[in-house]
Amino acid sequence: MDAQTRGVADALGLDYAMKPISPRGFFKLLAPWGPVAPSERFGQTGSVFAPSWPDVAIALGRSAVPYLKALRRRSPRTFTLMMLDTRAGLGVADLIWVPQHDRLRGSNVITTLTAPHSYSPTRIANLRAVMPDDIAALPAPRVAVILGGKNAVYDFRPEDDERFAGALRSLGASGASFMITPSRRTHARLLEVTDAATRPYPRILWDGSGANPYPDFLAHADAFVVTADSVNMTGEAAATGRPVLVHTPGGGSDKFGRFHEALRQHGATRPLPDRLDALPKWSYEPLYSADTIAREVERRWLATRERR
């Protein structure tokens, strides 16, 4: 959530403050239709949410809806962007963003193929200008392996993990090196088979300690292997213009299916084969959705000022 909201704010060039929310109990259950809990003292001096009110407010997800509604009542001049379909209707914000694979549409709805993030073309170019020594020591081609894990949609059966490990072994045998990063959702078995499959080959495997090398992995990978469970991680890899091989475990859903099919149609991704004799090469137009959303916010914000 932070990655998506920060991505749009960064693309707008705004001076912004993050306001994390954590509704509890009854008020959490009531979102998006209920109010903000009175104990949060919304709008009162000393509250996390107090004047002066912003020119632009960006919110994401159902739990944020009561807060955005409360802000709009107190500051009608604030331009509001709601991210994702919260089932709260089109009137919840001045502009609503949803990924293209969602079904919500309307006159104030904008869609993009990938989710917004902060990996702009400029940022990626700046990262590519300086290669860290440990990455430079890896032989090319360098493959970034970005691990997700089990969620409500993908179940990652043992045979899925073994199939994934077999593809990595074949890549290593073909001469590739690896830059591997797990996520918070990565289950132990997936990390174990990834570790075992890549151990014989040159690699960096981030263990969670120290600075996160993920930005440099994105910038310096010649290709990516990404698990299909994360829209964010797949979209960030697709911001590079470099090949993205997607491992699809058991499970899935129509929504995820639409997302991955759209990326394939764009030319950013291909399915990860069970075995590769060489790293495939192709190129495509990098995807950076945050700028598309930011320009629409800017256009509509200026239009509201002209009307006033």
Side-chain angles (χ1 to χ4, degrees):
M1 291 182 172
D2 279 358
Q4 293 183 17
T5 53
R6 285 184 186 275
V8 176
D10 288 340
L12 281 164
L14 295 176
D15 178 14
Y16 62 89
M18 300 294 288
K19 301 282 187 177
I21 60 169
S22 54
R24 299 179 181 178
F26 185 67
F27 294 95
K28 181 177 182 178
L29 293 173
L30 284 178
W33 300 285
V36 178
S39 61
E40 297 202 46
R41 302 171 55 247
F42 194 105
Q44 299 179 35
T45 302
S47 168
V48 172
F49 296 92
S52 58
W53 301 118
D55 294 306
V56 177
I58 301 171
L60 188 150
R62 292 189 181 192
S63 293
V65 170
Y67 298 84
L68 197 65
K69 287 181 176 178
L71 172 59
R72 297 186 83 195
R73 287 194 297 270
R74 289 164 175 80
S75 179
R77 61 173 291 279
T78 296
F79 184 91
T80 52
L81 168 66
M82 173 55 68
M83 301 177 66
L84 300 182
D85 182 4
T86 63
R87 304 294 192 269
L90 297 178
V92 70
D94 295 297
L95 181 65
I96 300 170
W97 167 80
V98 296
Q100 185 176 301
H101 57 271
D102 277 3
R103 298 297 196 190
L104 184 68
R105 297 293 185 271
S107 61
N108 66 329
V109 176
I110 181 173
T111 68
T112 58
L113 179 53
T114 58
H117 51 72
S118 293
Y119 292 100
S120 67
T122 299
R123 184 182 180 190
I124 290 175
N126 289 338
L127 286 165
R128 285 176 176 166
V130 180
M131 184 180 291
D133 291 343
D134 56 347
I135 293 178
L138 295 174
R142 302 176 182 93
V143 178
V145 181
I146 304 174
L147 301 175
K150 295 180 181 181
N151 62 13
V153 175
Y154 292 105
D155 52 17
F156 282 89
R157 300 163 300 188
E159 55 266 35
D160 297 321
D161 292 349
E162 290 299 331
R163 181 164 50 88
F164 181 69
L168 295 181
R169 281 192 293 270
S170 68
L171 274 174
S174 74
S177 62
F178 298 99
M179 302 181 292
I180 306 162
T181 178
S183 67
R184 294 176 183 175
R185 199 171 59 249
T186 304
H187 52 284
R189 188 183 63 241
L190 179 60
L191 185 56
E192 288 166 3
V193 300
T194 300
D195 180 19
T198 59
R199 194 178 300 132
Y201 309 107
R203 69 174 188 178
I204 300 169
L205 196 163
W206 187 51
D207 63 2
S209 62
N212 190 339
Y214 180 71
D216 287 313
F217 287 3
L218 277 181
H220 298 292
D222 297 300
F224 297 85
V225 172
V226 185
T227 56
D229 54 283
S230 176
V231 168
N232 276 1
M233 294 188 301
T234 310
E236 287 167 355
T240 67
R242 293 177 177 173
V244 183
L245 294 164
V246 179
H247 169 65
T248 303
S253 69
D254 289 343
K255 182 185 289 190
F256 271 87
R258 291 192 298 270
F259 169 69
H260 286 296
E261 178 57 28
L263 280 181
R264 285 192 289 270
Q265 291 294 328
H266 181 78
T269 69
R270 296 178 186 175
L272 177 68
D274 292 350
R275 177 179 174 80
L276 299 95
D277 295 321
L279 188 66
K281 296 179 181 180
W282 73 88
S283 61
Y284 54 91
E285 184 66 27
L287 293 165
Y288 178 52
S289 298
D291 188 66
T292 302
I293 301 166
R295 299 292 74 80
E296 186 64 11
V297 170
E298 184 178 54
R299 185 185 73 81
R300 291 179 183 245
W301 182 85
L302 288 171
T304 62
R305 292 301 175 270
E306 291 173 1
R307 288 196 296 269
R308 293 170 185 171

